[in-house]
Amino acid sequence: AQSVTQLGSHVSVSEGALVLLRCNYSSSVPPYLFWYVQYPNQGLQLLLKYTTGATLVKGINGFEAEFKKSETSFHLTKPSAHMSDAAEYFCAVVSGGYNKLIFGAGTRLAVHP
Amino acid sequence: KAGVTQTPRYLIKTRGQQVTLSCSPISGHRSVSWYQQTPGQGLQFLFEYFSETQRNKGNFPGRFSGRQFSNSRSEMNVSTLELGDSALYLCASSQRQQNTEAFFGQGTRLTVV
């Protein structure tokens, strides 16, 4: 069965600093991986996805993630944090060949001046 | 192209009542999934529909049910509401039958008193 672990429920960075949000997955089949962002009282917005092919994936708002099969990781990074990046971030894997998403517990990102 | 639309946005119900939530997917998307989000349990999969057929169901009691219509619109119903059903209910639509990204609506915030 697939599962997702996000290390760190809260991450705090300074504006302009590197953002690194960690995600490890467990999957018995080649995974399809996603990062979503959620702002307060909103739904989830897709940041980026990995399906097949290039392991470095670029998404919206300057975010990118690298799929590392050997480490079963899919960490999310952004070179320079902006105040507007403050939100909750979820890593997810598709399960069972359907469109069922298995989510990590989420990481709340705080950006301070 | 319009996004996923969920109605209503907010709902307050009394214990024992039932509730119906509605979701209109992105035009052309035939897969609709439902998720429950709570602070304690995070994002949990409820069920997925594709072409009016339920393909997958999460680990929820039978009080939770859903359906999908021929125009891909979906409804979920919760009967005999309990206080623990208070949550943000998110609907997501996907374009293809499997392993594709999901696009989420803004959710319905259900409060059971």
Side-chain angles (χ1 to χ4, degrees):
Chain A
Q2 284 99 335
S3 66
V4 174
T5 302
Q6 290 184 241
L7 295 174
S9 58
H10 290 81
V11 171
S12 182
V13 301
S14 299
E15 192 173 20
L18 171 71
V19 175
L20 170 60
L21 304 182
R22 299 178 188 273
C23 171
N24 288 88
Y25 69 91
S26 171
S27 178
S28 57
V29 296
Y32 291 77
L33 296 158
F34 307 89
W35 274 99
Y36 285 88
V37 62
Q38 185 177 36
Y39 298 99
N41 297 315
Q42 298 293 319
L44 302 176
Q45 181 182 11
L46 180 68
L47 277 177
L48 49 80
K49 63 180 181 182
Y50 170 78
T51 52
T52 57
T55 56
L56 183 61
V57 179
K58 294 187 184 300
I60 63 171
N61 301 339
F63 285 94
E64 62 182 37
E66 187 171 11
F67 171 66
K68 292 187 176 181
K69 185 178 178 180
S70 61
E71 298 177 9
T72 61
S73 68
F74 191 56
H75 302 330
L76 181 71
T77 60
K78 182 174 180 177
S80 176
H82 191 271
M83 297 295 287
S84 62
D85 294 327
E88 189 154 22
Y89 293 79
F90 294 92
C91 182
V93 64
V94 163
S95 168
Y98 297 105
N99 289 322
K100 172 183 175 180
L101 287 166
I102 305 297
F103 286 93
T107 297
R108 188 170 297 279
L109 175 66
V111 182
H112 51 86
Chain B
K1 208 179 221 184
V4 178
T5 303
Q6 291 189 245
T7 56
R9 286 292 311 277
Y10 301 93
L11 208 48
I12 300 175
K13 289 287 188 179
T14 304
R15 267 183 305 175
Q17 287 187 313
Q18 74 158 14
V19 67
T20 299
L21 312 182
S22 179
C23 172
S24 292
I26 293 171
S27 178
H29 287 196
R30 291 195 291 160
S31 169
V32 174
S33 302
W34 290 88
Y35 295 83
Q36 182 196 65
Q37 186 178 26
T38 59
Q41 299 298 317
L43 282 154
Q44 292 187 287
F45 172 79
L46 279 158
F47 24 66
E48 185 213 358
Y49 289 87
F50 184 84
S51 293
E52 302 179 66
T53 301
Q54 186 183 90
R55 302 196 301 168
N56 226 329
K57 190 177 193 313
N59 189 25
F60 280 82
R63 301 185 296 107
F64 291 81
S65 63
R67 57 178 176 168
Q68 186 181 33
F69 302 96
S70 58
N71 62 358
S72 293
R73 190 177 71 85
S74 178
E75 289 181 346
M76 69 163 280
N77 184 78
V78 188
S79 62
T80 321
L81 283 165
E82 301 177 358
L83 295 179
D85 297 333
S86 295
L88 181 66
Y89 289 89
L90 293 164
C91 168
S93 76
S94 302
Q95 187 171 25
R96 294 194 300 275
Q97 193 167 357
Q98 62 185 25
N99 298 331
T100 58
E101 64 267 36
F103 296 91
F104 284 80
Q106 297 215 24
T108 295
R109 172 75 62 185
L110 171 65
T111 302
V112 182
V113 298

